[in-house]
Amino acid sequence: MFIDTHIHLDGEEFLEDLNQVVERATEAGAGKLFVPGINLDSIKSVKAVCEKFPDICFPMIGLHPEDVKDDWEQVLDEMEKYIPGYPWIAIGEVGLDFYWSREFEKEQLLAFERQVQWAIKYNLPLMIHCRTAQNELLAILKKYASEPVLRGVFHCFTGNEQEAKRFLEYDNWMLGIGGVLTFKKSKLPETLRNAVPLSRIVLETDAPYMAPVPFRGKRNESSFIPYIINTLAEVYSTSAENIADVTTQNAKTVFSI
């Protein structure tokens, strides 16, 4: 059994065959699928998916950095109204992304910090997206490093050894590892082997994106995770069963499930 800690099942890419996607996931060994939110509209769609599959799909709530605009304060004010009283498992997908543009850099920084404060206030982990913004993101987390409840996942980690070590300086945090690990030219296997203990890894797809080999370029889904597990087993010189067991326990610890 394994846990996919990051799959956008509420996306339009899964509208036509959602039931089959979830069925294939469970047949492949998925015990749980964690579904992140990205904006106000996704609150409804994430809840709908997770209420349709209540024993398998678990919801997150958050404002993705690429969705942060001038109205970020009003959006977060409205979004926070949905947090109390509903079984969200994380604040996410949140973070910083300066890869395409820094037009809303200030707004992203402020929006991310406010959502970090939510994680502390509601005792929920963070599902963090970070692209071309590691220094800025870690500077914000450092301000709250003494908060014992602060924990989470650095989603879609594809960095080098130095970047991995900087993320792992923060206790109670995991690196989300997905399909990039299987790519032919990926440096990630070496990075993980040299710098990342298996005890600090969780599995993810980021589906419908980032499908592993041999499905690269196709729509991703949770049933492909065994290909990631098998590659991790090679990296850590252990069994696929051990990879599944350890990463599942890691996810349960961070998400308090």
Side-chain angles (χ1 to χ4, degrees):
M1 300 295 289
F2 60 82
I3 293 176
D4 183 350
T5 62
H6 197 114
I7 174 170
H8 296 276
L9 271 180
D10 63 317
E12 61 182 13
E13 297 88 350
F14 295 111
L15 282 176
E16 294 185 2
D17 62 344
L18 179 61
N19 290 349
Q20 291 88 341
V21 169
V22 173
E23 182 178 354
R24 285 195 294 270
T26 57
E27 289 176 351
K32 294 176 174 59
L33 309 175
F34 296 169
V35 186
I38 58 171
N39 53 33
L40 265 176
D41 290 339
S42 70
I43 292 175
K44 182 178 180 180
S45 58
V46 167
K47 289 175 68 174
V49 167
C50 293
E51 289 169 4
K52 184 176 183 179
F53 305 98
D55 298 324
I56 297 176
C57 297
F58 296 82
M60 306 183 208
I61 184 171
L63 183 62
H64 191 285
E66 292 183 359
D67 282 76
V68 173
K69 308 299 180 188
D70 287 325
D71 63 348
W72 69 272
E73 288 185 278
Q74 294 92 332
V75 171
L76 290 186
D77 285 344
E78 183 65 22
M79 189 172 282
E80 189 175 6
K81 296 176 183 178
Y82 291 88
I83 299 178
Y86 195 80
W88 306 104
I89 63 163
I91 303 297
E93 175 179 359
V94 305
L96 302 174
D97 192 323
F98 303 145
Y99 182 78
W100 298 109
S101 170
R102 288 183 176 261
E103 180 182 1
F104 295 103
E105 178 176 347
K106 179 182 177 182
E107 291 83 356
Q108 282 194 37
L109 292 166
L110 292 169
F112 174 59
E113 183 163 5
R114 181 165 171 191
Q115 291 176 101
V116 171
Q117 293 167 352
W118 285 358
I120 296 167
K121 178 179 179 180
Y122 296 104
N123 189 18
L124 290 170
L126 286 158
M127 177 61 71
I128 288 184
H129 172 112
C130 182
R131 196 174 189 194
T132 322
Q134 186 181 48
N135 291 337
E136 295 89 344
L137 186 136
L138 291 178
I140 292 174
L141 290 182
K142 187 176 181 180
K143 294 166 62 175
Y144 301 91
S146 63
E147 296 286 347
V149 302
L150 196 60
R151 64 201 188 278
V153 174
F154 295 108
H155 150 65
C156 197
F157 178 76
T158 58
N160 57 36
E161 291 180 30
Q162 186 59 37
E163 290 168 329
K165 290 175 181 177
R166 290 194 66 197
F167 279 136
L168 295 180
E169 287 176 0
Y170 293 82
D171 295 333
N172 305 317
W173 289 83
M174 302 287 171
L175 302 183
I177 302 300
V180 171
L181 178 73
T182 68
F183 294 177
K184 184 176 181 180
K185 295 183 179 180
S186 174
K187 306 285 188 185
L188 194 52
E190 183 179 358
T191 296
L192 296 183
R193 188 180 296 115
N194 294 336
V196 182
L198 182 56
S199 61
R200 304 296 295 275
I201 286 176
V202 295
L203 303 173
E204 63 170 49
T205 55
D206 197 21
Y209 319 108
M210 310 292 284
V213 174
F215 304 103
R216 188 174 182 182
K218 300 181 180 180
R219 185 191 68 177
N220 200 3
E221 58 180 75
S222 297
S223 63
F224 299 164
I225 276 192
Y227 292 90
I228 301 167
I229 291 175
N230 290 336
T231 304
L232 280 171
E234 295 176 6
V235 169
Y236 288 101
S237 299
T238 187
S239 67
E241 290 78 9
N242 187 51
I243 295 293
D245 289 345
V246 173
T247 56
T248 295
Q249 187 55 53
N250 293 346
K252 288 181 177 180
T253 298
V254 170
F255 291 92
S256 301
I257 289 179

